[in-house]
Amino acid sequence: MKTFSLPSNSSTITGFILLGFPGPREKQIFLFVLFSTVYLLTLMGNGSIICAVHWDQRLHTPMYILLANFSFLEIWYVTSTVPNMLANFLSDTKVISFTGCFLQFYFFFSLGSAECFFLAVMAFDRYLAICRPLRYPTIMTRHLCTNLVVSCWILGFLWFLIPIIIISQMSFCGSRTIDHFLCDPGPLLALTCKRALLIELIFSSLSPLPLVIPFLFIMGSYILVLRAVLKVPSAAGKRKAFSTCGSHLAVVSLFYGSVLVMYGSPTSEHEAGMQKIVTLFYSVLTPLLNPVIYSLRNKDMKKALQKFLVT
């Protein structure tokens, strides 16, 4: 990996400075306590879903197996950023090493991509359950469910591997300060000694695909689900059909809504604060809210969690 060089002299620097959320010491301590609490609640919430699915035999179905894997992913997704952010709150230097920066870069975006693929697979599962209810048991078998889960993990971790390796081999000059709480590609590419248009083009072409392709698949699935539900004659049947999709739709709306605000709007140096807030929402708060959404809107999950927590 290339070192960070300053053109004005021969010194080399072995890392970047993540500004995070600058402020007085009291503010840093408050944010440390706040995000420590959020992190612990996220681990507990998603861990409870995993345990509930594991221990309750009634939840050993594709829908809940996918949910348990999704919760497991959320734990690692939030872990890719929050522990380092907590350390920076108490640090005076706020330095992250080159290796740490690019590892965070890789795991954050790989886990984010895997999350998009999981949301698409969960939409496919709901499409089969509502639009093909009689064929659902023969199509969504345990074997297919396992293959889909493995594919989500593999695709997520392979997608950004080559672009990140290429970026990590570039030389970085001038200021080493990143006005963010994580190693984001935009600020990193801005610190390169020589602008590499080809690498920027490759990255800008590849990075939206794990967002756009699953999103289009999810929208297509729910258009078909909506058509099928509207054909149901009874209001009770429609409510039951929508209730099976409500939690997933809420999670998709939270995640994609914040991501689209982040990457779909024009950026400027004056919007760095807003970018950090939006990134914080989909990378930290969404994993916290997901267990709440699934436990409140799903009766089976609510019963399984109550049983697990009581015992």
Side-chain angles (χ1 to χ4, degrees), residues 202-220:
I202 292 174
F203 191 84
S204 62
S205 300
L206 289 177
S207 57
L209 294 181
L211 286 170
V212 175
I213 295 176
F215 180 73
L216 294 176
F217 184 86
I218 292 169
M219 292 298 100

Side-chain angles (χ1 to χ4, degrees), residues 114-302:
E115 179 164 351
C116 295
F117 293 130
F118 266 107
L119 289 173
V121 169
M122 293 165 80
F124 174 66
D125 176 71
R126 293 301 83 206
Y127 158 76
L128 289 178
I130 294 175
C131 299
R132 300 288 186 271
L134 298 179
R135 298 185 59 193
Y136 178 80
T138 58
I139 297 176
M140 186 56 77
T141 61
R142 183 176 293 271
H143 179 70
L144 177 60
C145 183
T146 301
N147 287 340
L148 291 173
V149 167
V150 172
S151 298
C152 289
W153 285 105
I154 292 176
L155 282 173
F157 277 87
L158 286 181
W159 198 274
F160 284 99
L161 186 59
I162 294 177
I164 289 177
I165 290 176
I166 294 174
I167 295 174
S168 68
Q169 299 304 310
M170 300 175 69
S171 297
F172 298 86
C173 298
S175 172
R176 58 176 176 151
T177 301
I178 298 176
D179 190 7
H180 216 306
F181 63 87
L182 55 83
C183 289
D184 196 64
L188 277 174
L189 289 172
L191 296 177
T192 55
C193 297
K194 184 179 180 181
R195 189 173 181 184
L197 295 178
L198 180 59
I199 294 176
E200 292 183 20
L201 178 62
I202 292 174
F203 191 84
S204 62
S205 300
L206 289 177
S207 57
L209 294 181
L211 286 170
V212 175
I213 295 176
F215 180 73
L216 294 176
F217 184 86
I218 292 169
M219 292 298 100
S221 298
Y222 276 111
I223 288 173
L224 296 176
V225 167
L226 181 61
R227 288 176 56 188
V229 171
L230 292 177
K231 294 179 181 179
V232 176
S234 66
K238 291 179 180 179
R239 283 195 300 269
K240 183 178 179 181
F242 278 124
S243 67
T244 63
C245 305
S247 300
H248 181 256
L249 274 174
V251 171
V252 169
S253 300
L254 281 174
F255 180 77
Y256 271 101
S258 55
V259 169
L260 289 175
V261 169
M262 176 67 185
Y263 295 103
S265 60
T267 59
S268 71
E269 59 180 6
H270 303 292
E271 297 173 343
M274 181 58 67
Q275 291 179 18
K276 283 188 277 189
I277 292 173
V278 176
T279 304
L280 194 68
F281 184 84
Y282 73 77
S283 65
V284 178
L285 295 183
T286 300
L288 170 67
L289 295 175
N290 288 349
V292 178
I293 293 171
Y294 276 106
S295 61
L296 290 179
R297 296 186 60 89
N298 190 295
K299 293 181 180 179
D300 292 334
M301 178 56 66
K302 189 184 297 185

Side-chain angles (χ1 to χ4, degrees), residues 48 52 56 58-59 295-296 298-311:
S48 297
D56 196 325
R58 296 172 302 173
L59 301 185
S295 61
L296 290 179
N298 190 295
K299 293 181 180 179
D300 292 334
M301 178 56 66
K302 189 184 297 185
K303 291 179 181 177
L305 284 173
Q306 289 173 348
K307 181 180 178 182
F308 169 73
L309 294 174
V310 169
T311 56

Side-chain angles (χ1 to χ4, degrees), residues 81-100:
T81 58
V82 173
N84 183 75
M85 182 170 62
L86 293 176
N88 277 354
F89 287 139
L90 303 181
S91 171
D92 294 327
T93 60
K94 302 185 185 301
V95 173
I96 184 172
S97 66
F98 274 103
T99 301

Side-chain angles (χ1 to χ4, degrees), residues 17-71:
I17 296 175
L18 289 176
L19 285 184
F21 299 92
R25 188 68 176 173
E26 293 77 12
K27 176 184 176 182
Q28 299 296 300
I29 294 175
F30 171 76
L31 291 175
F32 175 82
V33 174
L34 175 63
F35 286 106
S36 295
T37 304
V38 170
Y39 182 55
L40 290 175
L41 290 174
T42 302
L43 297 183
M44 292 171 58
N46 286 284
S48 297
I49 286 182
I50 295 171
C51 293
V53 173
H54 176 75
W55 291 110
D56 196 325
Q57 296 291 329
R58 296 172 302 173
L59 301 185
H60 289 185
T61 61
M63 175 182 173
Y64 293 106
I65 291 173
L66 291 171
L67 177 58
N69 275 272
F70 186 75
S71 295

